[in-house]
Amino acid sequence: MENGSRNNALKPMDSEQLREYGHQMVDFIADYYKTIETFPVLSQVQPGYLHNLLPDSPPDQPETLEQVLDDVKEKILPGVTHWQSPSFFAYYPANSSVAGFLGEMLSAGLNIIGFSWVSSPAATELEMIVLDWFAKLLNLPEQFLSKGNGGGVIQGTASEAILVVLIAARDKVLRRVGKKALEKLVVYSSDQTHSSLLKACQIAGIHLENCRMLKTDSSTNYALRPESLQEAVSGDLEAGLIPFFLCGTVGTTSSTAVDPLAALGEIAKRNEMWFHVDAAYAGSACICPEYRQHIDGVETADSFNMNAHKWLLTNFDCSLLWVKDQYALTEALSTNPEFLKNKASQANLVVDYKDWQIPLGRRFRSLKLWMVLRLYGAEILKNYIRNHIKLAKDFEQLVSQDPNFEVVTPRIFSLVCFRIAPVDNDEKTCNNLNRNLLEALNSSGKLFISHTILSGKFVLRVAIGAPLTEEKHVMEAWKVIQEEASNILASQVN
């Protein structure tokens, strides 16, 4: 019996076994999507729940795929927050799609490690091509295309993208002013910039006291004021410091604020600073001509980043980074050990993407982006974005019409920032009411939203962008929000 179970065990790679098990797995995932609306959107389990359900050690003998999938259904899925649910409105979306999934499956099946051109030529060349395709969809300046000194690369996340360009900028300025000047280097951004910038500074050895997170407010809808930047730069120059890196954001995490790129870029250029544009969320919308204006001024930038895995139907992870000067990256990040040397690389005939990123190894991520672009096409993708923005407009209007609520900052893309309105300017009570509302909504399991703080106000965020979200889901979410708010306000009166 024991020998029989071993003979039926899953082999490391067997094409017929893969065919059989692959069908079962695809059916399981397809059934998951078919029933995704039956799950609580936000997992309701308690910390440590899984330790009580799974054994302390792995099995000695093989188990069947059926047994494993049964455990996924009974033990894993209750602890999953369902990011692809049509009622997921938290953070920003993380899009999945049939095309993205198929590309991910193909990448996993081929399982190549494309660190250099010679390690898999198609992986490198397809990445160059699809990044050029996408740059053209965004109408990026020609300097970002691969035919010159620039080009694009797929990073895992926007956090990795900002780290590699910060390191490139750091080394570029230190080559000019000397390595001992590291402690004088200063970084600038608004106080709405993603926390990944500060993390990148920590990793890159930039003193945190030299990171200028410049204050924003509602007068600019939380965008960075060029005057604030100029004042900070001038003060640092007078103090003998070296301004070297500026991060502008198109679509901040809290409220989708859009920094004025052209004006910021001029200041960066005058002071020989590297200008990076983080459009991780909102960059997807800029493939639509009517939203392209939000990255006007990108021609002044040294690097530009957006996440196709957020709002463009490409499964995580797929963060697109373009630079005007690829040599700034390779100067800072390249290694050339003997075991990686080859004729094509030595002759500078090819791109080796290992020198554009932190790790050596890299997945064949361009396959899924290529499949998304081909199986959907640009017009379908544009209309997909437009539909979510329309739903957000509708939601914003519903909030505006209810006297119990207020829109906190104008909607730009498909994020709506709102709250229960304060009574008699009592901000403390108002903040507590909105905290209670957030807790009530998310513990209901009917939807999942997140929050932020803007000018001391506790603000609720509804980010519309899940692939399955339709008008009915937005209307149902609003109904639940109104009901829970009414309960909380009624208890306040009592």
Side-chain angles (χ1 to χ4, degrees), residues 1-8 61:
M1 185 70 182
E2 193 173 300
N3 288 336
S5 68
R6 284 177 180 158
N7 290 337
N8 293 328
Q61 298 301 325

Side-chain angles (χ1 to χ4, degrees), residues 134 137-138 283-289 291-292 312 378 381-382 385:
F134 216 95
L137 277 181
L138 288 165
S284 295
C286 296
I287 68 171
C288 302
Y291 299 110
R292 172 56 176 76
L312 213 79
L381 293 172
K382 290 173 186 176
I385 296 288

Side-chain angles (χ1 to χ4, degrees), residues 192-233:
Q192 299 298 305
T193 300
H194 194 276
S195 59
S196 59
L197 176 59
L198 282 179
K199 192 171 193 176
C201 289
Q202 288 175 278
I203 296 170
I206 307 301
H207 294 266
L208 291 186
E209 58 265 32
N210 285 1
C211 297
R212 309 284 182 253
M213 306 289 110
L214 303 173
K215 186 173 174 56
T216 58
D217 57 41
S218 59
S219 67
T220 60
N221 294 329
Y222 300 97
L224 177 57
R225 293 172 59 247
E227 296 83 2
S228 298
L229 174 64
Q230 184 59 65
E231 183 180 347
V233 169

Side-chain angles (χ1 to χ4, degrees), residues 109-352:
L110 295 177
N111 201 36
I112 65 98
I113 313 298
F115 45 78
S116 62
W117 179 88
V118 75
S119 69
S120 198
T124 296
E125 296 193 14
L126 185 63
E127 190 158 335
M128 295 172 72
I129 289 166
V130 295
L131 268 291
D132 280 353
W133 281 6
F134 216 95
K136 291 172 183 175
L137 277 181
L138 288 165
N139 195 23
L140 294 182
E142 282 202 0
Q143 297 102 304
F144 285 121
L145 300 179
S146 62
K147 63 183 179 181
N149 293 331
V153 58
I154 301 177
Q155 305 285 342
T157 66
S159 301
E160 294 171 47
I162 202 165
L163 175 58
V164 297
V165 296
L166 182 73
I167 290 171
R170 178 200 67 186
D171 284 11
K172 186 175 181 180
V173 71
L174 290 180
R175 284 194 295 273
R176 189 178 84 235
V177 300
K179 294 180 181 178
K180 293 182 179 179
L182 179 63
E183 64 184 18
K184 294 183 177 181
L185 301 187
V186 186
V187 169
Y188 304 85
S189 75
S190 86
D191 59 0
Q192 299 298 305
T193 300
H194 194 276
S195 59
S196 59
L197 176 59
L198 282 179
K199 192 171 193 176
C201 289
Q202 288 175 278
I203 296 170
I206 307 301
H207 294 266
L208 291 186
E209 58 265 32
N210 285 1
C211 297
R212 309 284 182 253
M213 306 289 110
L214 303 173
K215 186 173 174 56
T216 58
D217 57 41
S218 59
S219 67
T220 60
N221 294 329
Y222 300 97
L224 177 57
R225 293 172 59 247
E227 296 83 2
S228 298
L229 174 64
Q230 184 59 65
E231 183 180 347
V233 169
S234 297
D236 287 328
L237 287 171
E238 288 175 18
L241 298 175
I242 305 171
F244 90 104
F245 189 88
L246 167 65
C247 180
T249 307
V250 177
T252 56
T253 304
S254 283
S255 65
T256 64
V258 175
D259 290 338
L261 302 187
L264 298 179
E266 285 303 314
I267 296 171
K269 185 177 180 181
R270 283 199 304 270
N271 293 281
E272 298 183 80
M273 298 163 63
W274 184 293
F275 182 28
H276 176 66
V277 174
D278 177 355
Y281 160 70
S284 295
C286 296
I287 68 171
C288 302
E290 64 270 34
Y291 299 110
R292 172 56 176 76
Q293 61 181 306
H294 295 297
I295 58 170
D296 284 353
V298 69
E299 62 275 5
T300 66
D302 297 281
S303 52
F304 178 84
N305 171 236
M306 57 86 57
N307 288 345
H309 62 242
K310 272 196 168 71
W311 199 13
L312 213 79
L313 294 173
T314 308
N315 290 40
F316 187 83
D317 51 1
C318 192
S319 185
L320 314 183
L321 171 67
W322 289 270
V323 292
K324 283 182 177 176
D325 179 11
Q326 61 177 271
Y327 304 107
L329 283 187
T330 57
E331 282 280 313
L333 300 169
S334 66
T335 55
N336 193 28
E338 186 62 37
F339 66 89
L340 292 181
K341 289 180 179 177
N342 62 86
K343 289 182 180 178
S345 297
Q346 300 299 102
N348 289 322
L349 297 174
V350 294
V351 164
D352 289 334

